[in-house]
Amino acid sequence: MERSQGEAKEPPNREGIAAIARCYQGFDPAMYLRYNYTPPRADFTRTDSIVPWKLACLHQAFTEGESHTLVDVGSGPTLYQVLSGCEVFGRVVLTDFLEANRRELQRWLAGEQGSFDWTPYLQHVCQLEGRRAFPLTFQLVLPIDVHQPCPLPPGSLPASGADCLVSSFCLESVSPDVASFTAALRRMGSLLRPGGHVLLIGALGESYYMAAPNVRIPVVPLDEAQVCSSLKVSGLSLLRLCVYTLPPDMRVGVDDVSGIFFVKARKP
């Protein structure tokens, strides 16, 4: 992909980026999933639970159009964020910087015993979309580094770029400051074809999250105005912004997040 106009040849704050990368060496996929993707944050009987809110936002966004290639930027060990896209995109690509997260996703794809049980998520999405079966169209799990000029391995995407990108809780948690977050967003946008869409889910007011019992990952605290500003600087046109505020019992001590944003944007 071509470098966006005006992008620096070197990533900003390389020392800060390297420090965060070192923090991630202690990331435990199983613990992260337990902290964030089990009740109360993933309680499908509650309309105010975090995960059902995110799935509803994604369901609405994915039903507004269809195309060929969907790329999930920074999947982590999760795949809920692409479930609604599996029916409308012919090719779904999962990506992550950490080998441990890519391995966790591949374990689930291979049906290995002991992998995280995504069945409640699959059932909930099927209910949202009024269908019984679930088309599993994601097969590729690729390495990615949003701080590099070319984040994906060469040849991963069509020459024109992806039709849609989705990214959840990635950019703000791998960036040491707002400038790095914005630069990563710009590089992410370079993977997208003109006219394509970005679906972005992220944390508001968060300064850290726990990736294991003794592993604390720093996060860039964002507000709605900063998200909008970074989108504009990155050459993306905002189409929709939704905000979720955490109820008190969703603040379970594994982070200090106060809210979540959902963005749908378009690359002109």
Side-chain angles (χ1 to χ4, degrees):
M1 295 294 167
E2 294 182 0
R3 183 179 290 120
S4 300
Q5 185 176 6
E7 181 178 349
K9 293 182 179 180
E10 297 294 337
N13 196 351
R14 286 181 294 168
E15 291 184 3
I17 291 169
I20 291 177
R22 289 191 294 271
C23 290
Y24 271 96
Q25 297 312 304
F27 188 97
D28 184 332
M31 293 304 299
Y32 175 79
L33 289 167
R34 183 185 302 175
Y35 291 156
N36 295 284
Y37 295 98
T38 61
R41 291 187 168 183
D43 186 343
F44 293 102
T45 67
R46 290 178 53 173
T47 57
D48 65 343
S49 188
I50 297 174
V51 168
W53 181 85
K54 292 187 290 185
L55 290 174
C57 290
L58 290 162
H59 164 67
Q60 179 184 359
F62 280 125
T63 56
E64 293 169 341
E66 62 181 64
S67 201
H68 183 256
T69 303
L70 169 66
V71 177
D72 181 23
V73 175
S75 304
T78 70
L79 47 82
Y80 71 91
Q81 59 273 22
V82 299
L83 295 182
S84 285
C86 286
E87 190 170 40
V88 295
F89 287 88
R91 181 172 182 247
V92 179
V93 179
L94 305 174
T95 72
D96 201 69
F97 178 77
L98 290 180
E99 182 182 355
N101 284 336
R102 299 195 300 271
R103 186 165 57 245
E104 176 67 26
L105 293 169
Q106 289 164 340
R107 289 180 64 221
W108 186 86
L109 289 170
E112 290 186 18
Q113 188 174 3
S115 59
F116 188 77
D117 184 12
W118 292 103
T119 304
Y121 291 75
L122 296 169
Q123 293 172 339
H124 186 78
V125 171
C126 284
Q127 185 177 12
L128 284 175
E129 300 179 358
R131 53 187 167 94
R132 295 181 180 179
F134 196 86
L136 297 179
T137 59
F138 40 93
Q139 298 176 349
L140 290 177
V141 184
L142 300 178
I144 193 169
D145 187 343
V146 294
H147 297 304
Q148 295 300 318
C150 298
L152 286 172
S156 301
L157 297 178
S160 59
D163 300 296
C164 183
L165 305 174
V166 60
S167 187
S168 300
F169 304 105
C170 172
L171 304 185
E172 71 274 21
S173 60
V174 298
S175 300
D177 48 43
V178 170
S180 301
F181 168 83
T182 305
L185 182 59
R186 187 186 305 118
R187 292 190 187 93
M188 175 177 152
S190 74
L191 302 174
L192 192 65
R193 66 165 175 82
H197 291 92
V198 171
L199 309 179
L200 195 64
I201 297 176
L204 293 171
E206 184 177 43
S207 66
Y208 79 93
Y209 75 92
M210 303 303 296
N214 297 308
V215 179
R216 183 180 172 117
I217 305 290
V219 179
V220 179
L222 298 173
D223 57 29
E224 297 167 55
Q226 183 59 64
V227 172
C228 294
S229 176
S230 294
L231 286 167
K232 184 176 181 180
V233 170
S234 301
L236 298 169
S237 300
L238 178 64
L239 301 178
R240 182 184 308 142
L241 172 63
C242 304
V243 172
Y244 169 95
T245 301
L246 269 73
D249 66 337
M250 297 287 166
R251 305 186 184 198
V252 293
V254 297
D255 52 45
D256 61 350
V257 63
S258 60
I260 297 170
F261 67 86
F262 175 84
V263 157
K264 182 172 184 179
R266 180 178 180 273
K267 183 175 182 177

PDB file of all heavy atoms in Angstrom, residues 13 24 30 35-36 39 56 70 72 76-77 81 113 124 128 144 148 151-152 186 197 206 216 223-224 231 239 241 244:
ATOM      1  N   ASN A  13       7.455   8.541  18.343  1.00  0.00           N
ATOM      2  CA  ASN A  13       7.708   7.976  19.667  1.00  0.00           C
ATOM      3  C   ASN A  13       8.062   6.486  19.600  1.00  0.00           C
ATOM      4  O   ASN A  13       7.403   5.638  20.193  1.00  0.00           O
ATOM      5  CB  ASN A  13       6.485   8.181  20.576  1.00  0.00           C
ATOM      6  CG  ASN A  13       6.824   7.983  22.044  1.00  0.00           C
ATOM      7  OD1 ASN A  13       7.913   7.536  22.393  1.00  0.00           O
ATOM      8  ND2 ASN A  13       5.875   8.308  22.903  1.00  0.00           N
ATOM      9  N   TYR A  24       3.461  -6.253  26.166  1.00  0.00           N
ATOM     10  CA  TYR A  24       2.600  -7.279  25.585  1.00  0.00           C
ATOM     11  C   TYR A  24       3.222  -8.670  25.607  1.00  0.00           C
ATOM     12  O   TYR A  24       2.522  -9.660  25.337  1.00  0.00           O
ATOM     13  CB  TYR A  24       2.210  -6.893  24.158  1.00  0.00           C
ATOM     14  CG  TYR A  24       0.959  -6.052  24.108  1.00  0.00           C
ATOM     15  CD1 TYR A  24       1.051  -4.663  24.047  1.00  0.00           C
ATOM     16  CD2 TYR A  24      -0.303  -6.626  24.164  1.00  0.00           C
ATOM     17  CE1 TYR A  24      -0.085  -3.871  24.026  1.00  0.00           C
ATOM     18  CE2 TYR A  24      -1.443  -5.845  24.149  1.00  0.00           C
ATOM     19  CZ  TYR A  24      -1.331  -4.470  24.083  1.00  0.00           C
ATOM     20  OH  TYR A  24      -2.470  -3.693  24.078  1.00  0.00           O
ATOM     21  N   ALA A  30      -6.014 -16.204  27.537  1.00  0.00           N
ATOM     22  CA  ALA A  30      -7.081 -16.836  28.320  1.00  0.00           C
ATOM     23  C   ALA A  30      -7.579 -15.913  29.425  1.00  0.00           C
ATOM     24  O   ALA A  30      -8.793 -15.799  29.662  1.00  0.00           O
ATOM     25  CB  ALA A  30      -6.587 -18.162  28.910  1.00  0.00           C
ATOM     26  N   TYR A  35     -11.509 -11.901  31.643  1.00  0.00           N
ATOM     27  CA  TYR A  35     -11.783 -10.580  32.206  1.00  0.00           C
ATOM     28  C   TYR A  35     -12.895  -9.848  31.456  1.00  0.00           C
ATOM     29  O   TYR A  35     -13.701  -9.145  32.058  1.00  0.00           O
ATOM     30  CB  TYR A  35     -10.524  -9.701  32.131  1.00  0.00           C
ATOM     31  CG  TYR A  35      -9.390 -10.100  33.021  1.00  0.00           C
ATOM     32  CD1 TYR A  35      -8.078  -9.729  32.696  1.00  0.00           C
ATOM     33  CD2 TYR A  35      -9.578 -10.828  34.198  1.00  0.00           C
ATOM     34  CE1 TYR A  35      -7.010 -10.071  33.503  1.00  0.00           C
ATOM     35  CE2 TYR A  35      -8.512 -11.184  34.994  1.00  0.00           C
ATOM     36  CZ  TYR A  35      -7.229 -10.802  34.646  1.00  0.00           C
ATOM     37  OH  TYR A  35      -6.172 -11.138  35.447  1.00  0.00           O
ATOM     38  N   ASN A  36     -12.917  -9.984  30.135  1.00  0.00           N
ATOM     39  CA  ASN A  36     -13.744  -9.104  29.311  1.00  0.00           C
ATOM     40  C   ASN A  36     -14.872  -9.772  28.532  1.00  0.00           C
ATOM     41  O   ASN A  36     -15.781  -9.076  28.076  1.00  0.00           O
ATOM     42  CB  ASN A  36     -12.842  -8.366  28.308  1.00  0.00           C
ATOM     43  CG  ASN A  36     -11.862  -7.441  28.979  1.00  0.00           C
ATOM     44  OD1 ASN A  36     -12.228  -6.365  29.440  1.00  0.00           O
ATOM     45  ND2 ASN A  36     -10.596  -7.860  29.050  1.00  0.00           N
ATOM     46  N   PRO A  39     -19.619 -13.014  31.690  1.00  0.00           N
ATOM     47  CA  PRO A  39     -20.450 -12.090  32.484  1.00  0.00           C
ATOM     48  C   PRO A  39     -19.631 -11.433  33.597  1.00  0.00           C
ATOM     49  O   PRO A  39     -18.682 -12.029  34.107  1.00  0.00           O
ATOM     50  CB  PRO A  39     -21.528 -13.017  33.054  1.00  0.00           C
ATOM     51  CG  PRO A  39     -21.623 -14.126  32.044  1.00  0.00           C
ATOM     52  CD  PRO A  39     -20.206 -14.343  31.585  1.00  0.00           C
ATOM     53  N   ALA A  56     -24.646  -5.319  18.637  1.00  0.00           N
ATOM     54  CA  ALA A  56     -25.759  -4.624  17.976  1.00  0.00           C
ATOM     55  C   ALA A  56     -25.237  -3.536  17.044  1.00  0.00           C
ATOM     56  O   ALA A  56     -25.747  -3.359  15.922  1.00  0.00           O
ATOM     57  CB  ALA A  56     -26.695  -4.033  19.026  1.00  0.00           C
ATOM     58  N   LEU A  70     -13.053  -8.180   4.032  1.00  0.00           N
ATOM     59  CA  LEU A  70     -13.116  -7.550   5.352  1.00  0.00           C
ATOM     60  C   LEU A  70     -11.856  -7.911   6.117  1.00  0.00           C
ATOM     61  O   LEU A  70     -11.489  -9.092   6.189  1.00  0.00           O
ATOM     62  CB  LEU A  70     -14.350  -8.038   6.115  1.00  0.00           C
ATOM     63  CG  LEU A  70     -14.447  -7.686   7.609  1.00  0.00           C
ATOM     64  CD1 LEU A  70     -14.592  -6.186   7.806  1.00  0.00           C
ATOM     65  CD2 LEU A  70     -15.599  -8.436   8.265  1.00  0.00           C
ATOM     66  N   ASP A  72      -9.956  -7.530   9.860  1.00  0.00           N
ATOM     67  CA  ASP A  72     -10.019  -7.145  11.268  1.00  0.00           C
ATOM     68  C   ASP A  72      -8.608  -6.780  11.716  1.00  0.00           C
ATOM     69  O   ASP A  72      -7.709  -7.632  11.723  1.00  0.00           O
ATOM     70  CB  ASP A  72     -10.570  -8.306  12.095  1.00  0.00           C
ATOM     71  CG  ASP A  72     -10.697  -7.970  13.562  1.00  0.00           C
ATOM     72  OD1 ASP A  72     -10.786  -6.769  13.890  1.00  0.00           O
ATOM     73  OD2 ASP A  72     -10.705  -8.897  14.393  1.00  0.00           O
ATOM     74  N   GLY A  76      -6.641  -9.468  18.416  1.00  0.00           N
ATOM     75  CA  GLY A  76      -6.426 -10.016  19.742  1.00  0.00           C
ATOM     76  C   GLY A  76      -6.799 -11.495  19.713  1.00  0.00           C
ATOM     77  O   GLY A  76      -6.721 -12.153  18.677  1.00  0.00           O
ATOM     78  N   PRO A  77      -7.290 -12.054  20.830  1.00  0.00           N
ATOM     79  CA  PRO A  77      -7.747 -13.437  20.825  1.00  0.00           C
ATOM     80  C   PRO A  77      -9.252 -13.545  20.576  1.00  0.00           C
ATOM     81  O   PRO A  77      -9.860 -14.574  20.868  1.00  0.00           O
ATOM     82  CB  PRO A  77      -7.398 -13.907  22.240  1.00  0.00           C
ATOM     83  CG  PRO A  77      -7.605 -12.679  23.075  1.00  0.00           C
ATOM     84  CD  PRO A  77      -7.219 -11.503  22.201  1.00  0.00           C
ATOM     85  N   GLN A  81     -16.054  -9.514  16.732  1.00  0.00           N
ATOM     86  CA  GLN A  81     -16.167  -8.288  15.970  1.00  0.00           C
ATOM     87  C   GLN A  81     -16.377  -8.506  14.474  1.00  0.00           C
ATOM     88  O   GLN A  81     -16.731  -7.572  13.756  1.00  0.00           O
ATOM     89  CB  GLN A  81     -14.943  -7.391  16.208  1.00  0.00           C
ATOM     90  CG  GLN A  81     -13.617  -8.025  15.847  1.00  0.00           C
ATOM     91  CD  GLN A  81     -13.003  -8.835  16.975  1.00  0.00           C
ATOM     92  OE1 GLN A  81     -13.675  -9.289  17.889  1.00  0.00           O
ATOM     93  NE2 GLN A  81     -11.695  -9.029  16.904  1.00  0.00           N
ATOM     94  N   GLN A 113      -9.862 -28.685  21.537  1.00  0.00           N
ATOM     95  CA  GLN A 113     -10.454 -28.726  22.866  1.00  0.00           C
ATOM     96  C   GLN A 113      -9.758 -27.725  23.782  1.00  0.00           C
ATOM     97  O   GLN A 113      -8.538 -27.587  23.760  1.00  0.00           O
ATOM     98  CB  GLN A 113     -10.337 -30.144  23.449  1.00  0.00           C
ATOM     99  CG  GLN A 113     -11.092 -30.336  24.756  1.00  0.00           C
ATOM    100  CD  GLN A 113     -11.062 -31.785  25.211  1.00  0.00           C
ATOM    101  OE1 GLN A 113     -10.430 -32.620  24.577  1.00  0.00           O
ATOM    102  NE2 GLN A 113     -11.745 -32.084  26.296  1.00  0.00           N
ATOM    103  N   HIS A 124     -26.134 -15.452  19.636  1.00  0.00           N
ATOM    104  CA  HIS A 124     -26.694 -14.102  19.752  1.00  0.00           C
ATOM    105  C   HIS A 124     -26.705 -13.402  18.397  1.00  0.00           C
ATOM    106  O   HIS A 124     -27.706 -12.747  18.037  1.00  0.00           O
ATOM    107  CB  HIS A 124     -25.883 -13.284  20.760  1.00  0.00           C
ATOM    108  CG  HIS A 124     -26.469 -11.942  21.058  1.00  0.00           C
ATOM    109  ND1 HIS A 124     -27.551 -11.766  21.899  1.00  0.00           N
ATOM    110  CD2 HIS A 124     -26.136 -10.700  20.616  1.00  0.00           C
ATOM    111  CE1 HIS A 124     -27.849 -10.482  21.977  1.00  0.00           C
ATOM    112  NE2 HIS A 124     -27.002  -9.810  21.195  1.00  0.00           N
ATOM    113  N   LEU A 128     -29.836 -11.978  16.207  1.00  0.00           N
ATOM    114  CA  LEU A 128     -29.919 -10.612  15.682  1.00  0.00           C
ATOM    115  C   LEU A 128     -30.247 -10.611  14.199  1.00  0.00           C
ATOM    116  O   LEU A 128     -31.005  -9.757  13.710  1.00  0.00           O
ATOM    117  CB  LEU A 128     -28.593  -9.881  15.897  1.00  0.00           C
ATOM    118  CG  LEU A 128     -28.244  -9.375  17.297  1.00  0.00           C
ATOM    119  CD1 LEU A 128     -26.835  -8.804  17.300  1.00  0.00           C
ATOM    120  CD2 LEU A 128     -29.240  -8.316  17.761  1.00  0.00           C
ATOM    121  N   ILE A 144       0.328  -8.526  11.988  1.00  0.00           N
ATOM    122  CA  ILE A 144       0.144  -7.126  11.606  1.00  0.00           C
ATOM    123  C   ILE A 144       0.904  -6.243  12.580  1.00  0.00           C
ATOM    124  O   ILE A 144       1.087  -6.617  13.753  1.00  0.00           O
ATOM    125  CB  ILE A 144      -1.356  -6.749  11.591  1.00  0.00           C
ATOM    126  CG1 ILE A 144      -1.574  -5.403  10.890  1.00  0.00           C
ATOM    127  CG2 ILE A 144      -1.944  -6.744  12.996  1.00  0.00           C
ATOM    128  CD1 ILE A 144      -3.029  -5.093  10.602  1.00  0.00           C
ATOM    129  N   GLN A 148       4.022   0.168  11.414  1.00  0.00           N
ATOM    130  CA  GLN A 148       4.875   0.062  10.242  1.00  0.00           C
ATOM    131  C   GLN A 148       4.182   0.677   9.026  1.00  0.00           C
ATOM    132  O   GLN A 148       2.948   0.623   8.922  1.00  0.00           O
ATOM    133  CB  GLN A 148       5.214  -1.400   9.957  1.00  0.00           C
ATOM    134  CG  GLN A 148       6.050  -2.067  11.038  1.00  0.00           C
ATOM    135  CD  GLN A 148       7.382  -1.377  11.237  1.00  0.00           C
ATOM    136  OE1 GLN A 148       8.053  -0.994  10.280  1.00  0.00           O
ATOM    137  NE2 GLN A 148       7.775  -1.220  12.500  1.00  0.00           N
ATOM    138  N   PRO A 151       1.478  -2.291   7.197  1.00  0.00           N
ATOM    139  CA  PRO A 151       1.159  -3.090   8.385  1.00  0.00           C
ATOM    140  C   PRO A 151       1.037  -4.592   8.151  1.00  0.00           C
ATOM    141  O   PRO A 151       1.322  -5.375   9.048  1.00  0.00           O
ATOM    142  CB  PRO A 151      -0.196  -2.507   8.835  1.00  0.00           C
ATOM    143  CG  PRO A 151      -0.219  -1.122   8.274  1.00  0.00           C
ATOM    144  CD  PRO A 151       0.484  -1.229   6.960  1.00  0.00           C
ATOM    145  N   LEU A 152       0.611  -5.010   6.946  1.00  0.00           N
ATOM    146  CA  LEU A 152       0.393  -6.420   6.656  1.00  0.00           C
ATOM    147  C   LEU A 152       1.482  -6.971   5.750  1.00  0.00           C
ATOM    148  O   LEU A 152       2.140  -6.221   5.021  1.00  0.00           O
ATOM    149  CB  LEU A 152      -0.970  -6.613   5.982  1.00  0.00           C
ATOM    150  CG  LEU A 152      -2.206  -6.494   6.864  1.00  0.00           C
ATOM    151  CD1 LEU A 152      -3.472  -6.509   6.011  1.00  0.00           C
ATOM    152  CD2 LEU A 152      -2.253  -7.613   7.902  1.00  0.00           C
ATOM    153  N   ARG A 186      -4.022   6.310  10.584  1.00  0.00           N
ATOM    154  CA  ARG A 186      -3.732   6.662   9.196  1.00  0.00           C
ATOM    155  C   ARG A 186      -3.180   5.453   8.436  1.00  0.00           C
ATOM    156  O   ARG A 186      -3.566   5.181   7.301  1.00  0.00           O
ATOM    157  CB  ARG A 186      -2.751   7.824   9.151  1.00  0.00           C
ATOM    158  CG  ARG A 186      -2.511   8.375   7.747  1.00  0.00           C
ATOM    159  CD  ARG A 186      -1.423   9.429   7.723  1.00  0.00           C
ATOM    160  NE  ARG A 186      -1.704  10.508   8.667  1.00  0.00           N
ATOM    161  CZ  ARG A 186      -0.929  10.821   9.702  1.00  0.00           C
ATOM    162  NH1 ARG A 186       0.172  10.132   9.924  1.00  0.00           N
ATOM    163  NH2 ARG A 186      -1.248  11.811  10.498  1.00  0.00           N
ATOM    164  N   HIS A 197     -15.089   1.333   4.023  1.00  0.00           N
ATOM    165  CA  HIS A 197     -15.542   1.769   5.349  1.00  0.00           C
ATOM    166  C   HIS A 197     -14.648   1.231   6.468  1.00  0.00           C
ATOM    167  O   HIS A 197     -14.029   0.172   6.331  1.00  0.00           O
ATOM    168  CB  HIS A 197     -16.979   1.309   5.595  1.00  0.00           C
ATOM    169  CG  HIS A 197     -17.984   2.013   4.742  1.00  0.00           C
ATOM    170  ND1 HIS A 197     -18.388   1.523   3.514  1.00  0.00           N
ATOM    171  CD2 HIS A 197     -18.650   3.188   4.918  1.00  0.00           C
ATOM    172  CE1 HIS A 197     -19.268   2.356   2.976  1.00  0.00           C
ATOM    173  NE2 HIS A 197     -19.441   3.376   3.801  1.00  0.00           N
ATOM    174  N   GLU A 206      -9.791   5.637  29.179  1.00  0.00           N
ATOM    175  CA  GLU A 206      -9.059   4.500  29.753  1.00  0.00           C
ATOM    176  C   GLU A 206      -7.558   4.781  29.736  1.00  0.00           C
ATOM    177  O   GLU A 206      -7.010   5.220  28.721  1.00  0.00           O
ATOM    178  CB  GLU A 206      -9.352   3.227  28.949  1.00  0.00           C
ATOM    179  CG  GLU A 206      -8.710   1.974  29.525  1.00  0.00           C
ATOM    180  CD  GLU A 206      -9.073   0.726  28.741  1.00  0.00           C
ATOM    181  OE1 GLU A 206      -9.074   0.782  27.491  1.00  0.00           O
ATOM    182  OE2 GLU A 206      -9.355  -0.303  29.372  1.00  0.00           O
ATOM    183  N   ARG A 216      -0.036  -5.019  33.345  1.00  0.00           N
ATOM    184  CA  ARG A 216      -0.850  -3.812  33.177  1.00  0.00           C
ATOM    185  C   ARG A 216      -0.402  -3.104  31.895  1.00  0.00           C
ATOM    186  O   ARG A 216       0.746  -2.678  31.783  1.00  0.00           O
ATOM    187  CB  ARG A 216      -0.653  -2.906  34.400  1.00  0.00           C
ATOM    188  CG  ARG A 216      -1.471  -1.639  34.448  1.00  0.00           C
ATOM    189  CD  ARG A 216      -1.112  -0.910  35.729  1.00  0.00           C
ATOM    190  NE  ARG A 216      -1.689   0.423  35.813  1.00  0.00           N
ATOM    191  CZ  ARG A 216      -2.566   0.800  36.737  1.00  0.00           C
ATOM    192  NH1 ARG A 216      -2.956  -0.058  37.658  1.00  0.00           N
ATOM    193  NH2 ARG A 216      -3.039   2.022  36.761  1.00  0.00           N
ATOM    194  N   ASP A 223     -11.161  10.884  24.265  1.00  0.00           N
ATOM    195  CA  ASP A 223     -12.539  11.341  24.400  1.00  0.00           C
ATOM    196  C   ASP A 223     -13.134  11.427  22.991  1.00  0.00           C
ATOM    197  O   ASP A 223     -12.441  11.212  21.988  1.00  0.00           O
ATOM    198  CB  ASP A 223     -12.638  12.671  25.153  1.00  0.00           C
ATOM    199  CG  ASP A 223     -11.822  13.787  24.492  1.00  0.00           C
ATOM    200  OD1 ASP A 223     -11.636  13.761  23.256  1.00  0.00           O
ATOM    201  OD2 ASP A 223     -11.396  14.706  25.206  1.00  0.00           O
ATOM    202  N   GLU A 224     -14.423  11.737  22.914  1.00  0.00           N
ATOM    203  CA  GLU A 224     -15.099  11.741  21.617  1.00  0.00           C
ATOM    204  C   GLU A 224     -14.489  12.756  20.659  1.00  0.00           C
ATOM    205  O   GLU A 224     -14.320  12.479  19.462  1.00  0.00           O
ATOM    206  CB  GLU A 224     -16.584  12.030  21.820  1.00  0.00           C
ATOM    207  CG  GLU A 224     -17.305  10.975  22.627  1.00  0.00           C
ATOM    208  CD  GLU A 224     -18.681  11.444  23.068  1.00  0.00           C
ATOM    209  OE1 GLU A 224     -19.468  11.840  22.193  1.00  0.00           O
ATOM    210  OE2 GLU A 224     -18.948  11.428  24.282  1.00  0.00           O
ATOM    211  N   LEU A 231      -9.737  10.910  13.249  1.00  0.00           N
ATOM    212  CA  LEU A 231     -10.345  10.424  12.008  1.00  0.00           C
ATOM    213  C   LEU A 231     -10.155  11.442  10.887  1.00  0.00           C
ATOM    214  O   LEU A 231      -9.775  11.088   9.761  1.00  0.00           O
ATOM    215  CB  LEU A 231     -11.835  10.159  12.213  1.00  0.00           C
ATOM    216  CG  LEU A 231     -12.218   8.912  13.005  1.00  0.00           C
ATOM    217  CD1 LEU A 231     -13.690   8.976  13.396  1.00  0.00           C
ATOM    218  CD2 LEU A 231     -11.941   7.642  12.211  1.00  0.00           C
ATOM    219  N   LEU A 239     -19.186   8.949   9.662  1.00  0.00           N
ATOM    220  CA  LEU A 239     -20.587   8.731   9.295  1.00  0.00           C
ATOM    221  C   LEU A 239     -21.480   8.551  10.520  1.00  0.00           C
ATOM    222  O   LEU A 239     -22.635   8.968  10.515  1.00  0.00           O
ATOM    223  CB  LEU A 239     -20.720   7.503   8.390  1.00  0.00           C
ATOM    224  CG  LEU A 239     -19.932   7.532   7.078  1.00  0.00           C
ATOM    225  CD1 LEU A 239     -20.129   6.214   6.327  1.00  0.00           C
ATOM    226  CD2 LEU A 239     -20.359   8.708   6.208  1.00  0.00           C
ATOM    227  N   LEU A 241     -21.260   8.051  15.084  1.00  0.00           N
ATOM    228  CA  LEU A 241     -20.554   7.895  16.348  1.00  0.00           C
ATOM    229  C   LEU A 241     -21.573   7.576  17.428  1.00  0.00           C
ATOM    230  O   LEU A 241     -22.516   8.341  17.646  1.00  0.00           O
ATOM    231  CB  LEU A 241     -19.780   9.170  16.714  1.00  0.00           C
ATOM    232  CG  LEU A 241     -19.145   9.215  18.109  1.00  0.00           C
ATOM    233  CD1 LEU A 241     -18.081   8.134  18.254  1.00  0.00           C
ATOM    234  CD2 LEU A 241     -18.544  10.598  18.392  1.00  0.00           C
ATOM    235  N   TYR A 244     -21.284   4.324  24.547  1.00  0.00           N
ATOM    236  CA  TYR A 244     -21.820   3.490  25.630  1.00  0.00           C
ATOM    237  C   TYR A 244     -21.115   3.892  26.918  1.00  0.00           C
ATOM    238  O   TYR A 244     -19.879   3.980  26.946  1.00  0.00           O
ATOM    239  CB  TYR A 244     -21.557   2.021  25.307  1.00  0.00           C
ATOM    240  CG  TYR A 244     -21.809   1.035  26.438  1.00  0.00           C
ATOM    241  CD1 TYR A 244     -23.022   0.371  26.539  1.00  0.00           C
ATOM    242  CD2 TYR A 244     -20.816   0.759  27.377  1.00  0.00           C
ATOM    243  CE1 TYR A 244     -23.235  -0.554  27.559  1.00  0.00           C
ATOM    244  CE2 TYR A 244     -21.029  -0.163  28.393  1.00  0.00           C
ATOM    245  CZ  TYR A 244     -22.233  -0.811  28.476  1.00  0.00           C
ATOM    246  OH  TYR A 244     -22.460  -1.714  29.481  1.00  0.00           O
TER     247      TYR A 244
END
